[in-house]
Amino acid sequence: MLRHIARRTFLQAQQIRLLSAESASLKTKKIGIIGLGNVGNALVKNLERTGYKVTSILDVDKERYTDFSDRNFSTPDSPRSLAEEVDIVFTGLPMPQHVKAVFEGDDGLLEGLKDGKIWIDHSTTDYEQTEDMCELVVARGGRMLEAPVTGGLEALKKGQMTVFLAGEKSVAEEVQPMLDDIYSNVIYTGRMGTALVPKVLSNMLTCVHNLAMGEAFMVAKRAGVDMRTMFDCIRASSGNSFVFETGGPMLMQGTYDPSFTIALQCKDNRLGYQMATKHKVPIEILGHAMQAYNKAMYKYGDDAPCYIAPKMLEEALQTDLRCEEFTNWGYSIQNVDGSSVIRHHGIDIKRSDKDELSNFKV
């Protein structure tokens, strides 16, 4: 038994040393970022914070460069030029058409992806479009991975996001030490296209949770239940979810998650609908949620926050769901056995003993 434990410890130590060496090697690579919205901006900072070498940035909105005015970044005039300057390109773009625009043309990204350069796309986009682009990248001599991220903007800023990673496994393994450094959980899903499927469907599920959550809170309030008490009860019960623990406080703040627009959420819903149509799967519940979100987008505008749909119920019943206890609320994410566990900040809450989870036995 002791010999077995010693061997396992030795192998674990070897693995740690190997990963450290791979991470150190990646830190010598030049990295370029295309798209400096919420994802790209946080990505630059997370890469720098963990010792990676960002050298080039590009965005159509040059005002976004001001966040990095104290850096000596190159700002090339095209995706092709950026790709030619670096070893690894990250993209984080809003819509499939934006990815397509960056990719195509004489000055497009494809033209610069030669000699084994790697493109990692964080965009939530059309998975069939991504599959087609990957074939062209490989034919050109480059390599590609799709890597949509999930978990919310605040988690992204802290490097607490989950990444779904797809593409050729050897390429995924090559960059995983870097992704492990800048995110909390990296899940390899298989061939190109398979990461975007769970990402899009996860985003669709948030719509179902959010709509049902708004109705549950409204019933509770009209029945005379205190909103904070309702939150604590559901959070401790089988009705709990990631969306309830994050979207619930945002609903009670009246902010409805301003970090992600409803137009982007509706884009993800359309992508999910296209998947379901292709594979001939009826989506009655997801489809209903998609239409409710479309209605909210038409009512409040493309830039409205993504969790705003329950506001339609608040207005219809002339009852708001505010709770002052959540005015200063915020959250972080802890990866526990592969699950995203929410840690609440800015509210009075009972804290678990830090060793409680590690001591739990089945």
Side-chain angles (χ1 to χ4, degrees), residues 144-167:
M144 181 183 178
L145 295 168
E146 62 174 353
V149 296
T150 184
L153 178 60
E154 288 308 308
L156 178 62
K157 289 177 180 177
K158 299 167 187 170
Q160 297 172 340
M161 297 284 275
T162 291
V163 180
F164 303 149
L165 187 62

PDB file of all heavy atoms in Angstrom, residues 144-167:
ATOM      1  N   MET A 144      -6.480  25.405 -35.231  1.00  0.00           N
ATOM      2  CA  MET A 144      -7.607  26.126 -34.650  1.00  0.00           C
ATOM      3  C   MET A 144      -8.265  25.343 -33.533  1.00  0.00           C
ATOM      4  O   MET A 144      -8.375  24.114 -33.595  1.00  0.00           O
ATOM      5  CB  MET A 144      -8.651  26.453 -35.726  1.00  0.00           C
ATOM      6  CG  MET A 144      -9.838  27.230 -35.202  1.00  0.00           C
ATOM      7  SD  MET A 144     -11.096  27.524 -36.470  1.00  0.00           S
ATOM      8  CE  MET A 144     -12.335  28.390 -35.501  1.00  0.00           C
ATOM      9  N   LEU A 145      -8.720  26.060 -32.514  1.00  0.00           N
ATOM     10  CA  LEU A 145      -9.531  25.501 -31.443  1.00  0.00           C
ATOM     11  C   LEU A 145     -10.716  26.421 -31.199  1.00  0.00           C
ATOM     12  O   LEU A 145     -10.583  27.649 -31.278  1.00  0.00           O
ATOM     13  CB  LEU A 145      -8.718  25.388 -30.142  1.00  0.00           C
ATOM     14  CG  LEU A 145      -7.538  24.427 -30.148  1.00  0.00           C
ATOM     15  CD1 LEU A 145      -6.676  24.665 -28.911  1.00  0.00           C
ATOM     16  CD2 LEU A 145      -8.009  22.975 -30.204  1.00  0.00           C
ATOM     17  N   GLU A 146     -11.871  25.833 -30.933  1.00  0.00           N
ATOM     18  CA  GLU A 146     -12.991  26.648 -30.459  1.00  0.00           C
ATOM     19  C   GLU A 146     -13.010  26.543 -28.937  1.00  0.00           C
ATOM     20  O   GLU A 146     -12.783  25.468 -28.368  1.00  0.00           O
ATOM     21  CB  GLU A 146     -14.321  26.199 -31.057  1.00  0.00           C
ATOM     22  CG  GLU A 146     -14.724  24.788 -30.711  1.00  0.00           C
ATOM     23  CD  GLU A 146     -16.122  24.447 -31.208  1.00  0.00           C
ATOM     24  OE1 GLU A 146     -16.827  25.338 -31.694  1.00  0.00           O
ATOM     25  OE2 GLU A 146     -16.506  23.264 -31.110  1.00  0.00           O
ATOM     26  N   ALA A 147     -13.285  27.670 -28.276  1.00  0.00           N
ATOM     27  CA  ALA A 147     -13.181  27.695 -26.816  1.00  0.00           C
ATOM     28  C   ALA A 147     -14.165  28.684 -26.198  1.00  0.00           C
ATOM     29  O   ALA A 147     -13.766  29.657 -25.556  1.00  0.00           O
ATOM     30  CB  ALA A 147     -11.748  28.062 -26.408  1.00  0.00           C
ATOM     31  N   PRO A 148     -15.470  28.465 -26.367  1.00  0.00           N
ATOM     32  CA  PRO A 148     -16.436  29.380 -25.749  1.00  0.00           C
ATOM     33  C   PRO A 148     -16.328  29.332 -24.228  1.00  0.00           C
ATOM     34  O   PRO A 148     -16.029  28.293 -23.644  1.00  0.00           O
ATOM     35  CB  PRO A 148     -17.794  28.839 -26.233  1.00  0.00           C
ATOM     36  CG  PRO A 148     -17.539  27.402 -26.561  1.00  0.00           C
ATOM     37  CD  PRO A 148     -16.132  27.341 -27.070  1.00  0.00           C
ATOM     38  N   VAL A 149     -16.568  30.487 -23.604  1.00  0.00           N
ATOM     39  CA  VAL A 149     -16.442  30.604 -22.146  1.00  0.00           C
ATOM     40  C   VAL A 149     -17.819  30.809 -21.526  1.00  0.00           C
ATOM     41  O   VAL A 149     -18.739  31.325 -22.153  1.00  0.00           O
ATOM     42  CB  VAL A 149     -15.508  31.767 -21.749  1.00  0.00           C
ATOM     43  CG1 VAL A 149     -14.099  31.501 -22.238  1.00  0.00           C
ATOM     44  CG2 VAL A 149     -16.015  33.098 -22.315  1.00  0.00           C
ATOM     45  N   THR A 150     -17.959  30.403 -20.269  1.00  0.00           N
ATOM     46  CA  THR A 150     -19.239  30.533 -19.585  1.00  0.00           C
ATOM     47  C   THR A 150     -19.022  30.817 -18.108  1.00  0.00           C
ATOM     48  O   THR A 150     -18.030  30.383 -17.535  1.00  0.00           O
ATOM     49  CB  THR A 150     -20.089  29.247 -19.765  1.00  0.00           C
ATOM     50  OG1 THR A 150     -21.373  29.437 -19.159  1.00  0.00           O
ATOM     51  CG2 THR A 150     -19.420  28.033 -19.155  1.00  0.00           C
ATOM     52  N   GLY A 151     -19.952  31.587 -17.509  1.00  0.00           N
ATOM     53  CA  GLY A 151     -19.846  31.871 -16.082  1.00  0.00           C
ATOM     54  C   GLY A 151     -20.161  33.297 -15.684  1.00  0.00           C
ATOM     55  O   GLY A 151     -20.336  33.586 -14.505  1.00  0.00           O
ATOM     56  N   GLY A 152     -20.206  34.228 -16.651  1.00  0.00           N
ATOM     57  CA  GLY A 152     -20.539  35.612 -16.320  1.00  0.00           C
ATOM     58  C   GLY A 152     -19.319  36.511 -16.282  1.00  0.00           C
ATOM     59  O   GLY A 152     -18.188  36.077 -16.050  1.00  0.00           O
ATOM     60  N   LEU A 153     -19.554  37.810 -16.503  1.00  0.00           N
ATOM     61  CA  LEU A 153     -18.467  38.771 -16.639  1.00  0.00           C
ATOM     62  C   LEU A 153     -17.627  38.888 -15.376  1.00  0.00           C
ATOM     63  O   LEU A 153     -16.397  38.954 -15.433  1.00  0.00           O
ATOM     64  CB  LEU A 153     -19.023  40.145 -17.022  1.00  0.00           C
ATOM     65  CG  LEU A 153     -17.988  41.264 -17.141  1.00  0.00           C
ATOM     66  CD1 LEU A 153     -16.943  40.942 -18.202  1.00  0.00           C
ATOM     67  CD2 LEU A 153     -18.684  42.593 -17.463  1.00  0.00           C
ATOM     68  N   GLU A 154     -18.271  38.935 -14.208  1.00  0.00           N
ATOM     69  CA  GLU A 154     -17.500  39.097 -12.976  1.00  0.00           C
ATOM     70  C   GLU A 154     -16.554  37.917 -12.772  1.00  0.00           C
ATOM     71  O   GLU A 154     -15.415  38.091 -12.337  1.00  0.00           O
ATOM     72  CB  GLU A 154     -18.445  39.239 -11.780  1.00  0.00           C
ATOM     73  CG  GLU A 154     -19.180  40.568 -11.738  1.00  0.00           C
ATOM     74  CD  GLU A 154     -18.251  41.760 -11.844  1.00  0.00           C
ATOM     75  OE1 GLU A 154     -17.277  41.824 -11.061  1.00  0.00           O
ATOM     76  OE2 GLU A 154     -18.466  42.619 -12.705  1.00  0.00           O
ATOM     77  N   ALA A 155     -17.020  36.719 -13.096  1.00  0.00           N
ATOM     78  CA  ALA A 155     -16.157  35.542 -12.999  1.00  0.00           C
ATOM     79  C   ALA A 155     -15.028  35.620 -14.022  1.00  0.00           C
ATOM     80  O   ALA A 155     -13.891  35.237 -13.736  1.00  0.00           O
ATOM     81  CB  ALA A 155     -16.970  34.275 -13.207  1.00  0.00           C
ATOM     82  N   LEU A 156     -15.328  36.132 -15.213  1.00  0.00           N
ATOM     83  CA  LEU A 156     -14.316  36.267 -16.254  1.00  0.00           C
ATOM     84  C   LEU A 156     -13.197  37.196 -15.799  1.00  0.00           C
ATOM     85  O   LEU A 156     -12.010  36.917 -15.984  1.00  0.00           O
ATOM     86  CB  LEU A 156     -14.954  36.791 -17.541  1.00  0.00           C
ATOM     87  CG  LEU A 156     -14.027  37.044 -18.726  1.00  0.00           C
ATOM     88  CD1 LEU A 156     -13.353  35.757 -19.157  1.00  0.00           C
ATOM     89  CD2 LEU A 156     -14.796  37.655 -19.886  1.00  0.00           C
ATOM     90  N   LYS A 157     -13.565  38.308 -15.187  1.00  0.00           N
ATOM     91  CA  LYS A 157     -12.557  39.269 -14.720  1.00  0.00           C
ATOM     92  C   LYS A 157     -11.615  38.639 -13.698  1.00  0.00           C
ATOM     93  O   LYS A 157     -10.449  39.029 -13.600  1.00  0.00           O
ATOM     94  CB  LYS A 157     -13.255  40.475 -14.089  1.00  0.00           C
ATOM     95  CG  LYS A 157     -13.975  41.375 -15.077  1.00  0.00           C
ATOM     96  CD  LYS A 157     -14.680  42.498 -14.333  1.00  0.00           C
ATOM     97  CE  LYS A 157     -15.420  43.430 -15.276  1.00  0.00           C
ATOM     98  NZ  LYS A 157     -16.161  44.484 -14.538  1.00  0.00           N
ATOM     99  N   LYS A 158     -12.111  37.680 -12.933  1.00  0.00           N
ATOM    100  CA  LYS A 158     -11.316  37.052 -11.877  1.00  0.00           C
ATOM    101  C   LYS A 158     -10.661  35.751 -12.334  1.00  0.00           C
ATOM    102  O   LYS A 158     -10.037  35.056 -11.524  1.00  0.00           O
ATOM    103  CB  LYS A 158     -12.219  36.766 -10.674  1.00  0.00           C
ATOM    104  CG  LYS A 158     -12.849  38.021 -10.069  1.00  0.00           C
ATOM    105  CD  LYS A 158     -13.974  37.672  -9.108  1.00  0.00           C
ATOM    106  CE  LYS A 158     -14.696  38.923  -8.639  1.00  0.00           C
ATOM    107  NZ  LYS A 158     -15.938  38.614  -7.899  1.00  0.00           N
ATOM    108  N   GLY A 159     -10.822  35.395 -13.604  1.00  0.00           N
ATOM    109  CA  GLY A 159     -10.251  34.146 -14.091  1.00  0.00           C
ATOM    110  C   GLY A 159     -10.965  32.921 -13.562  1.00  0.00           C
ATOM    111  O   GLY A 159     -10.361  31.852 -13.428  1.00  0.00           O
ATOM    112  N   GLN A 160     -12.277  33.044 -13.298  1.00  0.00           N
ATOM    113  CA  GLN A 160     -13.038  31.951 -12.697  1.00  0.00           C
ATOM    114  C   GLN A 160     -14.004  31.294 -13.679  1.00  0.00           C
ATOM    115  O   GLN A 160     -14.886  30.552 -13.280  1.00  0.00           O
ATOM    116  CB  GLN A 160     -13.810  32.476 -11.479  1.00  0.00           C
ATOM    117  CG  GLN A 160     -12.911  32.985 -10.368  1.00  0.00           C
ATOM    118  CD  GLN A 160     -13.677  33.685  -9.260  1.00  0.00           C
ATOM    119  OE1 GLN A 160     -14.818  34.124  -9.447  1.00  0.00           O
ATOM    120  NE2 GLN A 160     -13.072  33.787  -8.101  1.00  0.00           N
ATOM    121  N   MET A 161     -13.816  31.551 -14.950  1.00  0.00           N
ATOM    122  CA  MET A 161     -14.726  31.018 -15.953  1.00  0.00           C
ATOM    123  C   MET A 161     -14.431  29.551 -16.268  1.00  0.00           C
ATOM    124  O   MET A 161     -13.326  29.045 -16.040  1.00  0.00           O
ATOM    125  CB  MET A 161     -14.602  31.811 -17.257  1.00  0.00           C
ATOM    126  CG  MET A 161     -14.993  33.263 -17.144  1.00  0.00           C
ATOM    127  SD  MET A 161     -16.759  33.496 -17.064  1.00  0.00           S
ATOM    128  CE  MET A 161     -17.173  33.520 -18.795  1.00  0.00           C
ATOM    129  N   THR A 162     -15.436  28.896 -16.841  1.00  0.00           N
ATOM    130  CA  THR A 162     -15.270  27.566 -17.432  1.00  0.00           C
ATOM    131  C   THR A 162     -15.120  27.731 -18.937  1.00  0.00           C
ATOM    132  O   THR A 162     -15.791  28.566 -19.559  1.00  0.00           O
ATOM    133  CB  THR A 162     -16.473  26.672 -17.109  1.00  0.00           C
ATOM    134  OG1 THR A 162     -16.460  26.359 -15.713  1.00  0.00           O
ATOM    135  CG2 THR A 162     -16.432  25.379 -17.901  1.00  0.00           C
ATOM    136  N   VAL A 163     -14.236  26.946 -19.540  1.00  0.00           N
ATOM    137  CA  VAL A 163     -14.021  26.962 -20.984  1.00  0.00           C
ATOM    138  C   VAL A 163     -14.341  25.583 -21.543  1.00  0.00           C
ATOM    139  O   VAL A 163     -13.866  24.569 -21.033  1.00  0.00           O
ATOM    140  CB  VAL A 163     -12.556  27.308 -21.322  1.00  0.00           C
ATOM    141  CG1 VAL A 163     -12.349  27.320 -22.828  1.00  0.00           C
ATOM    142  CG2 VAL A 163     -12.175  28.650 -20.742  1.00  0.00           C
ATOM    143  N   PHE A 164     -15.162  25.537 -22.597  1.00  0.00           N
ATOM    144  CA  PHE A 164     -15.375  24.321 -23.356  1.00  0.00           C
ATOM    145  C   PHE A 164     -14.412  24.361 -24.537  1.00  0.00           C
ATOM    146  O   PHE A 164     -14.418  25.318 -25.312  1.00  0.00           O
ATOM    147  CB  PHE A 164     -16.809  24.228 -23.861  1.00  0.00           C
ATOM    148  CG  PHE A 164     -17.859  24.289 -22.781  1.00  0.00           C
ATOM    149  CD1 PHE A 164     -19.108  24.849 -23.038  1.00  0.00           C
ATOM    150  CD2 PHE A 164     -17.609  23.805 -21.510  1.00  0.00           C
ATOM    151  CE1 PHE A 164     -20.086  24.909 -22.045  1.00  0.00           C
ATOM    152  CE2 PHE A 164     -18.570  23.860 -20.513  1.00  0.00           C
ATOM    153  CZ  PHE A 164     -19.815  24.412 -20.786  1.00  0.00           C
ATOM    154  N   LEU A 165     -13.589  23.338 -24.687  1.00  0.00           N
ATOM    155  CA  LEU A 165     -12.504  23.360 -25.657  1.00  0.00           C
ATOM    156  C   LEU A 165     -12.681  22.225 -26.663  1.00  0.00           C
ATOM    157  O   LEU A 165     -12.839  21.068 -26.276  1.00  0.00           O
ATOM    158  CB  LEU A 165     -11.173  23.203 -24.917  1.00  0.00           C
ATOM    159  CG  LEU A 165      -9.880  23.355 -25.704  1.00  0.00           C
ATOM    160  CD1 LEU A 165      -9.765  24.753 -26.291  1.00  0.00           C
ATOM    161  CD2 LEU A 165      -8.683  23.054 -24.803  1.00  0.00           C
ATOM    162  N   ALA A 166     -12.640  22.556 -27.959  1.00  0.00           N
ATOM    163  CA  ALA A 166     -12.826  21.539 -28.995  1.00  0.00           C
ATOM    164  C   ALA A 166     -11.849  21.763 -30.136  1.00  0.00           C
ATOM    165  O   ALA A 166     -11.427  22.875 -30.427  1.00  0.00           O
ATOM    166  CB  ALA A 166     -14.255  21.557 -29.519  1.00  0.00           C
ATOM    167  N   GLY A 167     -11.514  20.649 -30.792  1.00  0.00           N
ATOM    168  CA  GLY A 167     -10.588  20.681 -31.909  1.00  0.00           C
ATOM    169  C   GLY A 167      -9.637  19.498 -31.793  1.00  0.00           C
ATOM    170  O   GLY A 167      -9.840  18.588 -30.982  1.00  0.00           O
TER     171      GLY A 167
END
